[in-house]
Amino acid sequence: DQQVKQNSPSLSVQEGRISILNCDYTNSMFDYFLWYKKYPAEGPTFLISISSIKDKNEDGRFTVFLNKSAKHLSLHIVPSQPGDSAVYFCAAPNAGGTSHGKLTFGQGTILTVHP
Amino acid sequence: DVKVTQSSRYLVKRTGEKVFLECVQDMDHENMFWYRQDPGLGLRLIYFSYDVKMKEKGDIPEGYSVSREKKERFSLILESASTNQTSMYLCASSPPWGEQFFGPGTRLTVL
């Protein structure tokens, strides 16, 4: 049961254009979402998050949008740069008092930004 | 600067060997996690620990065990390595709720 899904395994964009990475979830109890970025041979690093009380959170070139009714979130990168080429994971904390900080991750989307 | 370190970046082992992967964090975090990352499957949780000597199974615990004798250290053990355990192994730590901080990963190859 994949509760967090990233249906696009890969995305290719031109430098300077917008990158849009999508994520869908099935558990309506999720109330906080995170995006992580991972370079090859490195561990994931936290990028940006959003609480369910918001529908948008912006940090520099990165903006995350949340559509609760559609159970969908997206990460926008504008403008895209070659250094943004990486795997992007969306994640949500497991709900419930015994979750102990566990996160459920999507499958990841490989972003390639061409110069 | 927060830090999670893993004992090896690359490891090659033979089928049937016992393998130890070590993870140390310096943030005094309660929670520690072991994941494996495989193409198209994302990050899958193997085991996690929310306190010293406490552990819980994740989504794919079969063939693995863990040990947490000290708060800062969380070990993953492959009792008898098999080729289907060839993967990237990632350790993470976190406070009781929120962002997880990851180590650099160990690329394990089992021949």
Side-chain angles (χ1 to χ4, degrees):
Chain A
D1 178 25
Q2 191 75 27
Q3 296 190 63
V4 178
K5 297 180 184 180
Q6 294 174 257
N7 292 315
S8 298
S10 62
L11 176 67
S12 181
V13 300
Q14 205 68 32
E15 182 178 5
R17 308 293 287 267
I18 185 171
S19 296
I20 301 176
L21 297 101
N22 294 304
C23 181
D24 297 297
Y25 61 97
T26 57
N27 189 340
S28 58
M29 297 293 290
F30 288 152
D31 60 4
Y32 184 74
F33 301 90
L34 306 91
W35 284 92
Y36 281 82
K37 176 180 179 178
K38 184 184 183 299
Y39 292 118
E42 293 184 16
T45 55
F46 170 74
L47 188 58
I48 192 169
S49 63
I50 189 166
S51 165
S52 62
I53 62 172
K54 292 184 167 185
D55 54 17
K56 176 183 173 181
N57 189 27
E58 190 172 351
D59 183 2
R61 296 186 296 113
F62 302 90
T63 303
V64 57
F65 296 91
L66 176 61
N67 182 334
K68 290 186 289 292
S69 60
K71 294 193 179 71
H72 177 83
L73 61 153
S74 59
L75 174 67
H76 292 213
I77 306 173
V78 184
S80 301
Q81 299 174 354
D84 296 328
S85 298
V87 182
Y88 290 80
F89 294 98
C90 66
N94 290 26
T98 59
S99 63
H100 297 296
K102 286 194 292 184
L103 296 175
T104 298
F105 285 87
Q107 304 95 313
T109 297
I110 301 169
L111 173 65
T112 304
V113 181
H114 298 284
Chain B
D1 196 18
V2 297
K3 205 157 187 182
V4 179
T5 56
Q6 295 183 228
S7 49
S8 304
R9 295 299 300 272
Y10 300 93
L11 211 51
V12 179
K13 295 292 181 181
R14 298 215 173 267
T15 302
E17 280 192 80
K18 191 168 186 176
V19 182
F20 293 87
L21 302 181
E22 301 280 330
C23 176
V24 177
Q25 52 101 357
D26 65 0
M27 294 164 281
D28 201 36
H29 284 162
E30 289 81 359
N31 299 331
M32 295 189 76
F33 307 85
W34 275 106
Y35 296 90
R36 60 179 285 177
Q37 183 201 359
D38 301 288
L41 297 177
L43 299 175
R44 294 183 292 167
L45 182 64
I46 304 171
Y47 266 97
F48 72 101
S49 168
Y50 53 90
D51 202 351
V52 175
K53 296 191 186 295
M54 305 302 288
K55 59 187 178 186
E56 285 196 19
K57 294 179 180 178
D59 301 317
I60 51 164
E62 296 79 18
Y64 304 94
S65 62
V66 291
S67 172
R68 193 168 181 199
E69 297 296 319
K70 294 185 177 181
K71 190 175 185 180
E72 67 271 18
R73 189 177 298 268
F74 192 35
S75 302
L76 179 70
I77 303 144
L78 287 66
E79 296 290 342
S80 177
S82 63
T83 54
N84 63 12
Q85 292 179 309
T86 291
S87 186
M88 168 71 88
Y89 289 88
L90 293 158
C91 174
S93 72
S94 81
W97 189 89
E99 178 189 345
Q100 291 184 13
F101 296 84
F102 284 83
T106 296
R107 171 70 65 183
L108 173 67
T109 302
V110 182
L111 302 175

